Amino acid sequence: MSSRNYDHKKIEQNWRPKWFADNIYKAVDFSEKPKKYILAELPYPSGPYLHAGHMMRYTVPEIHSRFLRMKGYNVMFPMGWDCFGLPAETFAIKEGKTPQEVIAQAEKDFKVAMQRMGYAIDWDREVNTSKPDYYKWTQFMFLKLWEQGLAELREMPVWWCKELGVLADEEVLAGPNNTKVSERGGYPVERKMFKQWNLKITEYADKLLKGLDDTDYMDSVKLSQTNWIGKKEGARIDFEIEGIGKVPAFTTRPDTVFGVSFVAISPEHPLVSSIVQKATNASDLTAYIQKAATLSDLEKQQKEKTGVEAKGIVVKHPFTGNDIPLFIADYILADFGTGFIMGVPAHDDRDFEFASKYGLPIIKVIQTPNDFEGDLYDGDGEVINSQQYNGMNSADMRTKIISDLEQMGIGSKEVTYKLRDQIWARQRYWGEPIPLIHTQDGDIEADYNLPVVLPELKEFLPVDGQAPLTKVPEWVNTTDSKGRPAKREVDTMPTWAGSNWYFIRYIDPQNDDAFADYEKMKYWLPVDRYFGDGGHTTAHLMYSRFWVRALYEQGLIPTPEPFKWRMTGGLLLGEDGTKMSKSKPEYSVDPKDLLENYGADAARMVLAFLGPYSETFPWNSRSVVACYRVIRQIYEMFDKVSDTPASKTQLVAYNKLVKNTEYMYENLKVNTAISEIMIFVNASKDWDTVNSQVWNGFLRVIAPVVPFVAEELWQETHGYVSWDAVNSIHLQDFPTFDEALTLDDVIEVPVQINGKVRAKLSVNANATEEQVKEAAFANSNITKWLDGQEPKKVIYITGRILNIVV
RNA sequence: GGGCGGGUGGCGGAAUUGGUAGACGCGUCGGACUUAAAAUCCGAUGAGACUUAUACUCUCGUGAGGGUUCGAUUCCCUCUCCGCCCACCA
């Protein structure tokens, strides 16, 4: 038994207040040390307490940040609260309180939980996105974008519910008799045109694509950004609709234009109304358009493709001059390309499906490969049935026809993107007010008197589909720059707003004159490592990059790319391997129990040990016991510390430990770093004494993982009688190692014959190739297997393996 | 449908990037301690064969099949299953 007992509560209560009172994890502006900005996505307090998923997301990045501090970096590891938006609002509704009330409480509780976990956070930099001194700058930045014409009021089709306002596609369900109802409350929902603020991120599509080259994101992250932008090169081809005019179609395959057997237009296309007027079957068309308006995007794609021909409308093929039928079809998306397509059934599967259904001609214009079966071919090949282009390769024709189209003035080279502009308005209460004013002339003015403070409301739910702020006349009614009565914008910003730039506010959180000092931003940006949720790898990352780039171009931020590097964390599953969720609390891990029964160090250790950071894996309640046990064994090791010189075995074990853990902490393989610690602890059981220098280094190796225990033992080892921050183990250097001492004196070299291990030799670590071969051929099992045969070849990989080929 | 990951013991996962597959941990089995249990500590533990048994030794083994190589969990091809994200994107 150890003379000291591991009492996690006592230790934690002893050191925690000292660390945070002296802010030992302070990130120093303009320090001469090289900086490392380590960022983990800030939580949104949507529940009463930090949950196990949060702990998963923060523990490994935090261990990494501690390691870097011990390697001599000036580390910033900040934390804040993303408070605006639906999660907090929903939480407030559930609690029967206002968002302000639940946020104030959750912020406190979350902070306490993080401090209990011992997270090495510089709390002087804490931010809360819903505080006026923060969102003042969110509003400021928005106005900067608005000044540049990047924010625009735009009319667009939305799901509209009288009770709830605008709803997202997934919030709308099918009701009885082809009606639509809201997911929450079951209120009737209709499709309606609605004016909303949009941010023109699409203007930055190319820059955001190219900007990826300046980052070291993991390939999977870069790829998801690239796919989200979805750059497509193709052509615009104009089709003449008689009596209406030229309508452009976008296609990536202009080489198939001679295969066009119909054209189709989205029911939401602006020209549809004039088409209906001119058509001879207007009532059929109107009925179809109305029906299409009630379908959600999901329903449209699940059902068979449909459309109605606009009879009496003449469309001429731009090359052949033939008449081609025009359809209104809801598989044509209004917001991709031009909302109008040329139908080439022979070479596009969607057009094929549509043409088959309506008996339209399928004109083959590209020769299919010999071994190809079927009517639909979307590859390249020899061009046929295409007049002067016959015989060309379709890939060459694409280039040729684009220049021909340009000469003829009926088309051009065109690039299109999948990326959509961002809807920047919610008809909700709990968000940043958009700091704009509508004048009585219908103009829009900025309100530079920031912050435009969100009024405190007891009743904050939308009523009659109106944004809640509409009901606060004393807030809405204001005056414009000329002193005339005017009205404030009542929509608020979406959840993305605050999280677009929170990492910049950490740099200078108290600044009243700017969102952050430019020189400080120059010192800290870009973020060196950004850890976060897989679900945020596309949208959040993209929007934040856009926001920063747009402000960079105005000279307000020194770097075009906010994040140098990005890694996605996995999820913690329940013990039975199922996803943890609120509906299945029996499988979830209660952080309070964990901290109470095993302490922060064991909790940290087990969360980092169960698996690699980027993977999803199940919780194991036995593993936390194992980690707790290791900590106790470390205490027992302390009893053996003496000045007795370390044995060679001990020195090798120690130097290996330092070497391996250094590599693993650096490369975020904390699960295996903990294995190395366990190996060392196990080995120490065979030693009568542990040399004090070795012990000293060992404590510094474990400090990033188990900060409380490490501090306790470090302070006791050094006999410090009173607390002084400079003596904290967490401000010491990570130990160094001696490469020569990472090797054992005697190593085992396996000997293979034709790739199969037939013997294992114990040889001196610095044995020469000749000595190893000699030993191998002297081995009885080897001679037995060789059976007198002459080796054809002998391959020796130094210190690793000897392979004899016969 | 598209994209991205992944498939290794009973389980979570290792494998220095082409060099002894299964580190470390859980579980299981055996032992110590205990009146007993829990806790703790020590040992064994991929499957199979040979052997009375141990040791020795051998065979098979990283989703399936094939290939490259002295040597493949790792590289290449075909197939298959699972997870995540996006999804009528012209």
Side-chain angles (χ1 to χ4, degrees):
Chain A
M1 266 309 280
S2 170
S3 56
R4 298 166 188 85
N5 279 320
Y6 173 43
D7 179 345
H8 63 263
K9 285 183 197 165
K10 203 177 129 205
I11 294 174
E12 288 169 21
Q13 276 158 19
N14 186 24
W15 301 112
R16 189 191 311 116
K18 295 185 170 80
W19 295 339
F20 293 115
D22 284 353
N23 194 16
I24 64 167
Y25 308 116
K26 187 176 175 57
V28 182
D29 296 326
F30 310 117
S31 159
E32 309 221 320
K33 290 181 183 176
K35 69 95 183 177
K36 285 279 182 189
Y37 187 171
I38 308 302
L39 181 68
E41 282 174 1
L42 81 179
Y44 40 84
S46 60
Y49 201 75
L50 205 66
H51 55 70
H54 286 126
M55 291 158 81
M56 265 289 274
R57 257 208 301 282
Y58 298 129
T59 302
V60 167
E62 191 262 2
I63 289 170
H64 180 67
S65 82
R66 284 179 175 273
F67 166 74
L68 293 173
R69 183 175 295 106
M70 295 181 81
K71 288 298 284 181
Y73 289 99
N74 177 32
V75 172
M76 169 145 71
F77 185 71
M79 193 53 67
W81 321 108
D82 189 14
C83 295
F84 272 139
L86 223 46
E89 207 180 282
T90 313
F91 180 40
I93 294 165
K94 214 173 81 191
E95 300 278 300
K97 295 179 179 159
T98 66
Q100 284 89 342
E101 285 165 348
V102 294
I103 285 300
Q105 190 55 47
E107 186 186 351
K108 266 191 222 144
D109 293 343
F110 270 53
K111 185 168 174 177
V112 166
M114 288 194 182
Q115 293 192 335
R116 283 202 67 182
M117 285 295 280
Y119 290 150
I121 292 162
D122 178 356
W123 287 107
D124 289 350
R125 295 175 183 270
E126 181 179 0
V127 304
N128 174 333
T129 60
S130 68
K131 290 274 167 67
D133 62 358
Y134 180 95
Y135 69 70
K136 166 184 178 178
W137 298 110
T138 310
Q139 292 172 331
F140 172 85
M141 289 167 154
F142 170 81
L143 287 180
K144 289 290 157 193
L145 300 193
W146 179 76
E147 286 168 10
Q148 292 293 302
L150 289 171
E152 183 180 81
L153 208 50
R154 198 181 292 166
E155 188 151 85
M156 54 206 315
V158 294
W159 290 112
W160 177 259
C161 168
K162 201 161 165 284
E163 284 75 14
L164 302 171
V166 174
L167 299 176
D169 214 49
E170 56 271 17
E171 295 176 297
V172 178
L173 304 174
N177 308 321
N178 276 335
T179 59
K180 295 286 152 188
V181 294
S182 64
E183 184 189 21
R184 204 152 41 78
Y187 304 114
V189 169
E190 58 180 318
R191 200 77 166 156
K192 181 170 159 176
M193 292 308 277
F194 195 83
K195 268 194 173 179
Q196 301 222 82
W197 283 99
N198 274 256
L199 284 189
K200 295 197 225 168
I201 187 172
T202 49
E203 288 191 6
Y204 280 72
D206 240 351
K207 287 173 183 170
L208 290 169
L209 194 60
K210 290 208 185 82
L212 290 174
D213 293 342
D214 302 329
T215 71
D216 301 324
Y217 297 168
M218 325 227 80
D219 285 345
S220 61
V221 175
K222 278 193 184 184
L223 211 87
S224 67
Q225 292 278 297
T226 305
N227 289 346
W228 187 260
I229 294 168
K231 182 175 183 171
K232 288 261 173 72
E233 294 190 9
R236 185 197 90 230
I237 302 179
D238 293 335
F239 285 77
E240 183 73 31
I241 304 180
E242 273 181 23
I244 287 178
K246 274 186 181 175
V247 187
F250 173 77
T251 175
T252 55
R253 297 297 302 270
D255 48 317
T256 63
V257 69
F258 286 87
V260 171
S261 63
F262 69 98
V263 289
I265 194 161
S266 161
E268 285 160 358
H269 195 284
L271 286 179
V272 162
S273 54
S274 30
I275 291 170
V276 172
Q277 264 179 19
K278 248 186 136 275
T280 54
N281 57 340
S283 59
D284 289 355
L285 293 172
T286 310
Y288 180 78
I289 293 162
Q290 278 170 357
K291 174 124 193 297
T294 67
L295 296 175
S296 73
D297 290 348
L298 193 68
E299 287 168 308
K300 280 183 197 162
Q301 70 183 261
Q302 276 168 353
K303 73 175 179 63
E304 207 179 304
K305 293 186 188 7
T306 58
V308 177
E309 187 178 351
K311 300 232 167 82
I313 303 273
V314 180
V315 180
K316 296 279 183 202
H317 189 286
F319 287 87
T320 64
N322 295 342
D323 283 358
I324 39 183
L326 168 69
F327 282 79
I328 295 178
D330 63 8
Y331 80 96
I332 312 304
L333 303 176
D335 58 3
F336 185 80
T338 59
F340 175 76
I341 62 129
M342 58 181 220
V344 186
H347 305 290
D348 180 283
D349 58 347
R350 292 149 305 181
D351 298 345
F352 180 80
E353 189 189 328
F354 189 80
S356 308
K357 174 163 176 161
Y358 292 101
L360 298 161
I362 294 167
I363 308 162
K364 202 164 127 179
V365 291
I366 290 167
Q367 193 59 261
T368 49
N370 289 332
D371 56 349
F372 186 83
E373 288 170 27
D375 297 319
L376 171 67
Y377 175 68
D378 60 8
D380 276 316
E382 189 195 331
V383 174
I384 53 172
N385 296 327
S386 300
Q387 297 177 358
Q388 71 269 33
Y389 300 99
N390 286 345
M392 286 182 86
N393 183 282
S394 54
D396 299 331
M397 177 176 165
R398 277 201 284 282
T399 330
K400 176 78 171 79
I401 197 162
I402 288 172
S403 63
D404 292 351
L405 284 164
E406 282 171 353
Q407 252 172 22
M408 294 158 74
I410 56 164
S412 62
K413 188 181 163 104
E414 187 92 2
V415 175
T416 208
Y417 300 90
K418 220 150 83 173
L419 186 68
R420 303 288 75 175
D421 278 337
Q422 197 184 359
I423 300 172
W424 197 253
R426 299 291 122 100
Q427 292 70 47
R428 284 270 160 190
Y429 167 65
W430 190 236
E432 299 86 349
I434 294 174
L436 293 172
I437 292 170
H438 300 268
T439 70
Q440 50 190 202
D441 307 331
D443 290 337
I444 290 167
E445 286 183 353
D447 184 349
Y448 288 103
N449 190 13
L450 301 177
V452 173
V453 177
L454 184 70
E456 293 223 11
L457 295 189
K458 280 267 176 265
E459 299 295 323
F460 56 86
L461 290 177
V463 175
D464 297 334
Q466 302 257 304
L469 289 175
T470 321
K471 296 170 297 178
V472 194
E474 63 276 20
W475 185 86
V476 173
N477 293 318
T478 183
T479 50
D480 65 13
S481 55
K482 298 189 184 100
R484 300 171 305 172
K487 288 190 188 298
R488 289 191 184 283
E489 173 60 56
V490 290
D491 284 357
T492 54
M493 299 191 205
T495 322
W496 312 105
S499 59
N500 266 348
W501 71 283
Y502 68 103
F503 49 90
I504 290 176
R505 190 61 177 173
Y506 286 146
I507 290 170
D508 200 4
Q510 319 296 345
N511 197 328
D512 280 336
D513 304 318
F515 55 80
D517 177 77
Y518 195 80
E519 293 303 314
K520 286 184 186 172
M521 285 192 276
K522 252 166 111 173
Y523 177 80
W524 286 110
L525 289 176
V527 169
D528 293 280
R529 290 198 154 175
Y530 189 18
F531 297 86
D533 188 89
H536 300 152
T537 303
T538 41
H540 160 65
L541 201 59
M542 185 73 70
Y543 296 147
S544 183
R545 291 178 60 220
F546 159 63
W547 188 269
V548 166
R549 186 170 286 270
L551 295 168
Y552 159 78
E553 289 185 357
Q554 294 188 46
L556 296 171
I557 293 176
T559 53
E561 285 292 335
F563 316 113
K564 188 76 191 147
W565 183 96
R566 164 86 186 186
M567 191 187 212
T568 294
L571 301 173
L572 185 63
L573 302 176
E575 192 142 21
D576 62 347
T578 57
K579 214 172 213 173
M580 280 197 204
S581 68
K582 281 166 195 150
S583 57
K584 288 202 282 179
E586 66 272 25
Y587 297 124
S588 64
V589 182
D590 186 341
K592 282 183 177 166
D593 284 354
L594 206 54
L595 288 165
E596 188 66 21
N597 298 330
Y598 301 101
D601 285 329
R604 295 165 57 95
M605 195 179 204
V606 73
L607 286 164
F609 176 66
L610 281 173
Y613 182 73
S614 57
E615 298 299 316
T616 292
F617 43 78
W619 171 249
N620 183 320
S621 55
R622 294 295 307 161
S623 289
V624 67
V625 181
C627 290
Y628 189 75
R629 196 151 49 210
V630 171
I631 294 170
R632 264 208 337 265
Q633 289 167 353
I634 292 170
Y635 263 74
E636 281 159 25
M637 203 196 308
F638 190 16
D639 290 339
K640 298 188 192 171
V641 174
S642 85
D643 289 331
T644 312
S647 66
K648 180 71 192 291
T649 324
Q650 187 174 124
L651 282 177
V652 170
Y654 170 71
N655 280 279
K656 271 185 188 167
L657 170 77
V658 177
K659 181 184 177 177
N660 292 343
T661 50
E662 182 181 272
Y663 171 82
M664 291 163 180
Y665 284 144
E666 172 65 38
N667 292 287
L668 296 155
K669 297 170 186 285
V670 182
N671 56 329
T672 54
I674 292 169
S675 296
E676 295 293 327
I677 292 169
M678 288 169 168
I679 290 168
F680 185 83
V681 171
N682 287 341
S684 77
K685 292 172 188 170
D686 294 338
W687 307 331
D688 294 331
T689 60
V690 173
N691 175 264
S692 52
Q693 293 303 307
V694 168
W695 172 251
N696 232 288
F698 171 73
L699 288 179
R700 283 174 286 151
V701 164
I702 65 171
V705 179
V706 286
F708 292 102
V709 170
E711 184 78 286
E712 173 79 9
L713 295 174
W714 178 262
Q715 297 280 334
E716 195 173 336
T717 300
H718 288 80
Y720 297 128
V721 284
S722 62
W723 164 254
D724 185 343
V726 296
N727 292 330
S728 170
I729 190 169
H730 304 303
L731 300 181
Q732 310 307 313
D733 288 338
F734 199 79
T736 54
F737 63 93
D738 180 348
E739 183 71 49
L741 282 172
T742 61
L743 297 171
D744 293 297
D745 285 340
V746 175
I747 57 169
E748 195 179 58
V749 176
V751 182
Q752 296 182 330
I753 294 177
N754 290 338
K756 282 190 190 287
V757 179
R758 297 303 181 190
K760 289 174 184 179
L761 305 174
S762 284
V763 299
N764 206 298
N766 44 31
T768 63
E769 181 168 347
E770 285 315 309
Q771 288 169 325
V772 173
K773 283 182 186 169
E774 205 175 303
F777 287 109
N779 183 286
S780 60
N781 209 39
I782 295 300
T783 48
K784 192 184 96 192
W785 276 93
L786 282 177
D787 195 24
Q789 297 174 85
E790 260 320 291
K792 288 202 190 88
K793 205 170 166 197
V794 180
I795 298 154
Y796 180 59
I797 310 295
T798 313
R800 300 234 84 120
I801 202 162
L802 183 80
N803 194 4
I804 302 169
V805 187
V806 290

